[in-house]
Amino acid sequence: MTMPVSQLQDGQAIRLSDVCKSYGDYPVLRNINAEVGRGEVVVICGPSGSGKSTLIRTVNRLEEINSGSINFEGQNIHAPMRGRELNRLRSRIGFVFQSFNLFPHLSAVENVSMSPIRVKGVSADVARDKAIKLLDRVGLADKANSYPGQLSGGQQQRVAIARALAMEPPVMLFDEPTSALDPEMVGEVLSVMKSLAAEGMTMLCVTHEMGFARDVADRIWFIDAGEILEMAPPKDFFQNPRHPRAQRFLSDLR
Ligand code: ADP
Ligand code: MG
């Protein structure tokens, strides 16, 4: 079913309207209505199995939806479209996974420069120069020629962030980017994310790092059983959660 895409208002980057998704009879996303402002950092939190990954993956159409629409830059991401058009759209929405998903047979600089060369037709020299600048930005200028297997988890995840940034996306999505890391490497990845936020990147992040949520998020979306139950600035969410399930979630963390 296709629906007309609801219009973005000024200052909005993404709008989800009446988004529903089920696996068989089991509803995973129940009527999600939400928007992300341009330059806004939203942290999605909620219990395991609540639909956080499914929600964020629908935003670049790694998951299909059953009904509703998702407007990004005036276009319904879930409208029928050709593969090439979908790829172009996806290249404007960076995605960082829990498992870094780097190409093991390519060096860091090759991982970062590959999409601009393949998808955008950027020349190899230009793409390489830019990739080196991006690796510098995530603190890995000296690892340009290392292969993923020679890098720590934290370093690999920073390469994955640089790779997403290479396509110059106006929006970045993160699905638990630090959950697969040893504790001592979490900080280096969060600090790259923090600097992106400070530069004005629009970000939608699933994370259990509540310190990051408190310090960096403009808003928290609390999701449980496929429904967004609360949307609030971190100060309100952490000090005064309104929904009983949000209260329980937060008290279980302590
Ligand atoms: P979260 O990221 O919050 O842990 P998910 O979005 O991964 O939650 O999953 C939400 C629910 O959907 C869970 O109950 C999960 O078991 C179910 N689910 C996720 N992927 C699939 C799938 N491919 N097929 C069937 N059920 C799925
Ligand atoms: Mg998940």
Side-chain angles (χ1 to χ4, degrees):
M1 185 172 66
T2 16
M3 284 171 64
V5 60
S6 63
Q7 292 306 299
L8 286 180
Q9 284 159 21
D10 276 357
Q12 293 181 343
I14 299 169
R15 182 189 193 97
L16 298 96
S17 307
D18 302 319
V19 171
C20 296
K21 177 180 179 71
S22 303
Y23 288 113
D25 290 341
Y26 178 73
V28 206
L29 297 179
R30 303 168 192 245
N31 212 41
I32 303 285
N33 284 286
E35 7 16 80
V36 185
R38 260 193 224 122
E40 190 180 24
V41 178
V42 171
V43 164
I44 303 173
C45 66
S48 176
S50 57
K52 303 180 298 295
S53 294
T54 307
L55 176 61
I56 202 166
R57 290 165 66 87
T58 63
V59 174
N60 73 344
R61 204 164 164 177
L62 286 171
E63 298 279 355
E64 296 294 328
I65 61 180
N66 296 107
S67 59
S69 64
I70 301 180
N71 186 325
F72 167 65
E73 298 186 330
Q75 201 177 355
N76 181 7
I77 288 175
H78 288 267
M81 64 180 82
R82 291 168 190 276
R84 198 200 291 178
E85 196 183 350
L86 180 58
N87 284 342
R88 198 175 331 120
L89 196 61
R90 279 207 184 118
S91 73
R92 314 241 332 120
I93 307 174
F95 201 109
V96 176
F97 300 86
Q98 181 176 330
S99 54
F100 333 118
N101 295 358
L102 296 175
F103 294 106
H105 59 291
L106 298 180
S107 66
V109 70
E110 287 165 345
N111 265 284
V112 177
S113 58
M114 193 181 85
S115 286
I117 294 171
R118 288 234 187 132
V119 180
K120 280 192 169 171
V122 174
S123 76
D125 285 352
V126 170
R128 188 182 167 83
D129 285 351
K130 173 132 188 264
I132 287 172
K133 288 201 183 89
L134 283 168
L135 287 171
D136 187 31
R137 182 167 164 194
V138 299
L140 293 173
D142 56 333
K143 300 290 182 189
N145 296 315
S146 301
Y147 287 83
Q150 300 169 317
L151 299 173
S152 71
Q155 291 169 335
Q156 289 184 61
Q157 192 59 301
R158 286 184 283 149
V159 173
I161 294 172
R163 180 178 60 174
L165 292 173
M167 295 299 279
E168 302 181 339
V171 171
M172 289 280 286
L173 311 177
F174 295 85
D175 189 2
E176 299 201 26
T178 60
S179 296
L181 300 177
D182 290 335
E184 70 271 23
M185 291 166 191
V186 169
E188 67 198 55
V189 171
L190 293 179
S191 96
V192 168
M193 292 170 66
K194 197 167 179 171
S195 72
L196 269 181
E199 289 162 25
M201 177 64 81
T202 304
M203 295 166 53
L204 192 51
C205 317
V206 175
T207 180
H208 296 293
E209 294 294 333
M210 292 297 125
F212 175 85
R214 207 184 286 265
D215 294 347
V216 182
D218 295 301
R219 263 191 318 156
I220 311 283
W221 296 354
F222 172 73
I223 179 170
D224 192 12
E227 266 185 291
I228 298 181
L229 298 179
E230 193 153 336
M231 291 177 166
K235 196 159 135 296
D236 299 340
F237 180 73
F238 288 110
Q239 283 173 12
N240 193 18
R242 278 163 302 159
H243 199 286
R245 275 188 266 167
Q247 293 165 3
R248 198 172 338 128
F249 173 78
L250 287 171
S251 69
D252 286 350
L253 293 179
R254 289 177 192 127

